[in-house]
Every structure is written in C-alpha cells, then in structure tokens.
C-alpha cells in the first residue's frame, strides 16, 4: 500500500494599472502579480509576473510582453506513488554484456522539490487593420528556462548512465546477484 498527503497555503496579489489612453500614443497597461505558496512537502516558494500590453496608434497593432517566475510542485503520484513491481526479462547487463531477468520497482519520491521556471514572452499582434479587413497575424517569442524539472528515467537508461560515469544513478540498482537483480525507478529533480 502507498499513502501520503500534503497541504498547500497560498497568498496572492494581482494589480492591473492603466498607463495611458490617448489617440496620439495609444493605450497601455501594466500588470503585475505575486504569489507566496507554502507546500507542506517542500516549503515556501515565490511566483511572480510582470507584463504589459500596448495598443499602438498604428491601425490594429498591439505589442505585449511578460516575464515571470513560475512554480510547479510535485503531484501526489510523483511524491507518494505506491510501489509497483514488474519483471523485466531479457534486460541487458552492460558490464557482462548478457541478458538477465530484473525486478523493476516503480515508486514515488517524497524528497522531490518544486520545479522553478523563468518565462519571458514578447509578441506583436496585427488584427483587423482597416487596410486589410479580417486579417489577423500574431508573432511571439518565448524563452523558458526550467530548474529542478521533475521526471524519471527508465531502468535501462539509469544503468547505462551509471556505467557511463553518471554517478547519481548508481544507487538505484543491483545486478550483482542474478537471483535478486533489481532496479528502482522513481521521479527525481533534474539539475
């Protein structure tokens, strides 16, 4: 059996501030938000965003941009999945270069921390200009950088990486005893 729980407490604030609104320079606003989240499993994290739009005086042209710090906490399955055991026949032992039977244990990882992303977007929209009725075009630039992404490797990849010199995967398996060879697969935070 597997079990687990967590609680989340949040406080947030969002503001939308009009900057100007005139025929000569167009209309613009600035939007900002902040959120403090406290996860019982991994502690406090801040998320925020700052962005804005400008409806330019050019017919149908809108410019927009936003930058943010985004958070995704591990879900209940990633944290507390009950162990599931399967048999992997014909599993390649890369050291002896032979196929062996391996017991694979898939389980959750209560030590996961939230993913943190930094997101930047810039864009322009040309929509229904008087010189081309019904026309719409949107061009956007995205840059997303994620730290501590949550994922899992399959059993063979973990073993191949260990024998290839990636040490953090080496504690997840034991192929030395053919009667009890095993590999444990669970999600973890990538660097």
């Amino acid at each position: 059996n597997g079990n687990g729980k967590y609680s989340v407490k949040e406080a947030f604030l969002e503001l939308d501030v009009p900057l100007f609104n005139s025929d000569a320079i167009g209309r613009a606003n600035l939007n900002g938000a902040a959120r403090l989240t406290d996860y019982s499993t991994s502690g406090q994290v801040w998320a925020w965003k700052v962005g804005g739009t400008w409806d330019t005086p050019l017919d149908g042209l809108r410019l927009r941009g936003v930058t943010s710090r985004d958070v995704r906490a591990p879900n209940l399955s990633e944290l507390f999945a009950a162990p599931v055991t399967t048999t992997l026949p014909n599993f390649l032992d890369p050291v002896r270069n032979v196929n062996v039977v391996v017991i694979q244990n898939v389980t959750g990882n209560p030590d996961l921390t939230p993913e943190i992303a930094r997101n930047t977007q810039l864009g322009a929209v040309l929509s229904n200009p008087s010189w081309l009725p019904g026309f719409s075009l949107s061009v956007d630039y995205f840059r997303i950088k994620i730290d501590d992404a949550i994922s899992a490797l399959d059993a063979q990849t973990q073993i191949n990486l260990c024998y290839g010199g990636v040490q953090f995967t080496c504690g997840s398996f034991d192929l030395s005893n053919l009667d009890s060879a095993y590999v444990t697969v669970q999600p973890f935070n990538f660097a």
Side-chain angles (χ1 to χ4, degrees):
N1 292 331
N3 64 60
K5 67 178 182 174
Y6 70 102
S7 63
V8 180
K9 298 175 191 142
E10 291 187 314
F12 65 92
L13 174 69
E14 184 168 2
L15 299 172
D16 192 39
V17 179
L19 299 177
F20 52 83
N21 187 359
S22 78
D23 291 336
I25 58 175
R27 183 179 66 180
N29 74 307
L30 182 66
N31 180 274
R35 178 182 304 266
L36 175 63
T37 307
D38 183 24
Y39 297 100
S40 61
T41 55
S42 54
Q44 291 183 349
V45 290
W46 277 96
W48 54 264
K49 77 167 186 163
V50 176
T53 60
W54 177 28
D55 292 323
T56 70
L58 301 174
D59 186 22
L61 181 62
R62 171 183 281 180
L63 302 176
R64 60 187 177 207
V66 66
T67 187
S68 62
R69 181 179 195 259
D70 306 309
V71 175
R72 184 187 82 82
N75 63 43
L76 287 172
S77 178
E78 291 165 334
L79 289 166
F80 305 116
V84 175
T85 301
T86 56
T87 302
L88 302 177
N90 299 318
F91 192 84
L92 178 63
D93 178 346
V95 172
R96 294 178 287 197
N97 198 28
V98 297
N99 287 333
V100 296
V101 175
V102 172
I103 301 299
Q104 174 180 268
N105 302 304
V106 178
T107 187
N109 181 355
D111 296 326
L112 291 172
T113 61
E115 297 176 341
I116 306 292
R118 181 62 191 271
N119 180 22
T120 302
Q121 303 174 29
L122 300 171
V125 178
L126 182 59
S127 180
N128 206 26
S130 60
W131 48 271
L132 192 56
F135 179 78
S136 183
L137 172 70
S138 177
V139 178
D140 291 286
Y141 164 81
F142 296 90
R143 181 172 185 257
I144 301 171
K145 179 182 180 266
I146 299 176
D147 291 322
D148 293 328
I150 298 168
S151 191
L153 300 173
D154 65 85
Q156 189 69 62
T157 300
Q158 286 182 196
I159 292 170
N160 292 346
L161 285 173
C162 175
Y163 290 123
V166 180
Q167 294 299 310
F168 81 91
T169 63
C170 293
S172 65
F173 66 93
D174 182 359
L175 302 181
S176 62
N177 184 343
L178 294 180
D179 293 328
S180 61
Y182 74 89
V183 61
T184 300
V185 174
Q186 66 183 157
F188 65 98
N189 291 100
F190 280 89

